[in-house]
Amino acid sequence: MAASAPTPHATGFPTEGRCSYYVEKKKRFCRMVAAAGKRFCGEHAGVAEEENDRKRILCPLDTKHTVYEDQLAKHLKKCNSREKPKPDFFIQDINAGLKDETEIPEPLVPISSLSEEQLESLIKKLRKASEGLNSTLKDQIMSHPALHDALSDPKNGDSATKHLKQQVDGKHRKKDSVFERLQIDIQHLCLSKIPLLSKEKLPVVGIGKHLCGMATDLALRCLVETYAASCEERNEEPLAKRIRNDKTEKEINTLAKERNEKNVPEKWTPVAGIVIALCCHHRCDWRHYVGKEYFRVLGLGAVEFHYFQRMSSWATCGMRRTSLEASNITQRRKDHQNDDSEEHDDGGCKITDTSTESLSGFLTVEEKKKIGHLCKLLIDQGRIKYLQQKGFNPALQYYTDPLVSLENVLLTALPNQSSSPETTT
């Protein structure tokens, strides 16, 4: 790390109580807190004259920070990057789906390396598979009353208004509500092992925002397979078998008493509803995709899925924008740098080239856009069929204006022939 200790009149003095180390790359002093009586923070203590005899080394668990060599053993026991014990609700790859390495016999070339004939063949397969699908979705743009005052505040500009629409988490909190955050990859999350859900036997509403690509498939499998299936198995298990399987009869009697006191119905729905904002289809993965059976029925497989999910980025690719649109988008991006709004990647598309003539191949910009939307629709249709097979009534709709987000499609699902329970989490 290159740094120097410039004269105070050249850069000013460090903030009181902060590190006196000058970071040349950032043209400012380090902002970390220095210990009482010290000039430098722990990270930069090695530059202090009185501590020159102690050597700092990179942490072997995370090379982004350093540690005193003579304190390495102690540091490794408390480093935030150390491997931590896995919680009970961690089950390796429980929501990953089956892995079949024989489905893709060899590494696939990128779309740019395909011949015109190969690309035409893929597009023909896509259009044939998409025949009969409804590409016109219903607008369901809504707003919660809790946000009305903030959204209508004349002091908020376009950027602030968009930020409010995106950052709505926690606006509905009440004093008697219970919130628990689980830091775990959805791929390994077993909801039925979470104490609050298993003890209280609460139905779940799955809400997903920015579950990019494969994360949507992992979440769907987590809800309708892992959680719902385990709850239904427990529901249907004979009482005598439950008594043998559980730890003690006393525990069973206690749970039964709690169940009666809370008036939990005998027949309940483990998953009361699903709401997921879909995005980044180019980040999908065949192994995790829940619509494999749908693709196979259409005569499609892993190879076609691979190219369709890559081509899906054409729907939101910057190449389709006019010069005026590109200018507006550039301005909006500058605005977004001043807030904390969440962004999606563009799947490798560039926004600098807006001319149709510069596109290689035989497709126009508008044709690529339509093909990209067809790819998204087909992938989402596989998810729709999956949910239908699992006993849900799913639907796709637009949940926001494309000026707010180009990824503006919402997937919702309710269990068939049942009403949503009053108590949800």
Side-chain angles (χ1 to χ4, degrees):
M1 185 179 346
S4 60
T7 57
H9 68 269
T11 60
F13 292 94
T15 304
E16 184 177 355
R18 303 287 175 171
C19 179
S20 297
Y21 186 84
Y22 186 77
V23 185
E24 184 65 35
K25 184 177 180 180
K26 298 183 178 179
K27 304 297 181 184
R28 62 168 175 78
F29 286 98
C30 171
R31 293 171 180 169
M32 297 292 288
V33 176
K38 303 288 184 179
R39 291 179 55 214
F40 302 93
C41 66
E43 189 68 18
H44 300 125
V47 301
E49 295 179 357
E50 66 272 20
E51 295 177 344
N52 274 340
D53 57 332
R54 301 182 70 189
K55 182 181 178 182
R56 291 188 73 85
I57 61 174
L58 295 175
C59 173
L61 300 179
D62 182 3
T63 56
K64 293 180 180 179
H65 66 273
T66 61
V67 60
Y68 282 119
E69 188 174 30
D70 56 8
Q71 291 185 341
L72 178 60
K74 180 180 179 181
H75 171 78
L76 292 178
K77 295 179 180 178
K78 61 180 182 180
C79 179
N80 288 332
S81 298
R82 71 189 186 281
E83 186 175 354
K84 301 175 180 66
K86 298 291 190 298
D88 291 339
F89 48 80
F90 178 99
I91 300 181
Q92 186 74 33
D93 291 332
I94 188 171
N95 303 313
L98 299 177
K99 185 176 183 180
D100 188 352
E101 296 181 353
T102 64
E103 298 236 29
I104 303 181
E106 57 187 26
L108 299 173
V109 299
I111 293 178
S112 58
S113 299
L114 294 176
S115 67
E116 185 172 318
E117 292 74 20
Q118 289 173 316
L119 191 55
E120 280 183 329
S121 176
L122 282 171
I123 293 173
K124 285 180 181 178
K125 289 183 179 181
L126 172 66
R127 286 175 172 154
K128 182 179 179 181
S130 304
E131 287 178 357
L133 296 184
N134 181 18
S135 59
T136 305
L137 306 183
K138 184 179 179 181
D139 285 330
Q140 290 280 24
I141 301 176
M142 303 178 182
S143 179
H144 196 280
L147 295 172
H148 286 175
D149 290 343
L151 290 175
S152 59
D153 190 340
K155 296 180 181 178
N156 293 329
D158 293 340
S159 179
T161 300
K162 177 179 177 180
H163 174 72
L164 286 169
K165 290 179 180 179
Q166 292 179 331
Q167 306 292 325
V168 297
D169 302 330
K171 298 293 184 183
H172 62 289
R173 295 190 178 187
K174 299 179 180 179
K175 292 182 179 179
D176 57 347
S177 299
V178 177
F179 288 85
E180 182 177 357
R181 182 180 182 183
L182 307 177
Q183 292 183 305
I184 182 174
D185 191 318
I186 302 174
Q187 183 168 329
H188 315 301
L189 173 61
C190 180
L191 287 176
S192 60
K193 297 287 185 180
I194 296 175
L196 179 64
L197 298 180
S198 60
K199 181 181 178 181
E200 304 293 336
K201 201 169 186 180
L202 296 172
V204 169
V205 174
I207 302 176
K209 180 188 176 191
H210 298 301
L211 282 174
C212 298
M214 70 180 75
T216 290
D217 299 296
L218 295 173
L220 291 176
R221 193 176 283 112
C222 177
L223 289 165
V224 306
E225 285 190 41
T226 308
Y227 185 62
S230 63
C231 291
E232 288 169 2
E233 286 174 6
R234 187 170 180 83
N235 241 1
E236 296 169 0
E237 198 174 37
L239 178 60
K241 186 177 180 181
R242 288 203 304 269
I243 293 176
R244 287 196 301 270
N245 288 344
D246 289 345
K247 292 181 179 179
T248 64
E249 187 173 350
K250 183 179 179 181
E251 289 182 0
I252 294 173
N253 292 334
T254 301
L255 290 173
K257 183 179 179 181
E258 291 177 353
R259 177 191 179 98
N260 291 334
E261 288 175 353
K262 295 179 180 179
N263 195 28
V264 178
E266 283 296 325
K267 202 68 178 175
W268 65 291
T269 305
V271 179
I274 298 172
V275 182
I276 297 178
L278 303 171
C279 65
C280 302
H281 294 71
H282 61 278
R283 294 297 187 191
C284 290
D285 185 273
W286 177 252
R287 179 195 174 185
H288 305 306
Y289 182 51
V290 297
K292 288 181 183 177
E293 186 59 34
Y294 174 70
F295 262 61
R296 293 189 182 112
V297 169
L298 295 173
L300 305 173
V303 174
E304 289 82 6
F305 180 84
H306 169 80
Y307 287 115
F308 291 168
Q309 55 101 355
R310 297 309 303 171
M311 289 157 60
S312 70
S313 65
W314 294 352
T316 55
C317 183
M319 289 188 293
R320 68 178 176 79
R321 294 163 184 153
T322 64
S323 299
L324 178 59
E325 288 173 327
S327 175
N328 291 337
I329 289 163
T330 301
Q331 182 59 46
R332 286 201 295 271
R333 286 191 171 186
K334 289 180 180 179
D335 293 340
H336 297 167
Q337 291 175 359
N338 298 324
D339 60 36
D340 299 321
S341 61
E342 295 172 87
E343 295 290 341
H344 302 276
D345 61 35
D346 58 8
C349 292
K350 306 296 183 183
I351 66 169
T352 55
D353 188 358
T354 58
S355 64
T356 303
E357 291 75 20
S358 64
L359 293 174
S360 59
F362 59 95
L363 297 173
T364 66
V365 175
E366 281 304 311
E367 286 173 336
K368 292 186 73 173
K369 175 185 172 183
K370 291 177 181 177
I371 290 170
H373 280 295
L374 274 184
C375 291
K376 283 177 172 286
L377 183 64
L378 190 65
I379 292 172
D380 290 338
Q381 190 64 25
R383 292 163 171 167
I384 291 288
K385 294 296 184 182
Y386 169 80
L387 287 168
Q388 289 174 341
Q389 291 172 357
K390 297 297 180 181
F392 286 82
N393 181 23
L396 297 172
Q397 55 259 308
Y398 294 120
Y399 73 95
T400 191
D401 191 281
L403 291 178
V404 175
S405 175
L406 290 173
E407 299 279 21
N408 63 338
V409 176
L410 189 72
L411 170 65
T412 61
L414 291 172
N416 285 328
Q417 298 178 345
S418 65
S419 58
S420 300
E422 293 182 1
T423 306
T424 59
T425 185

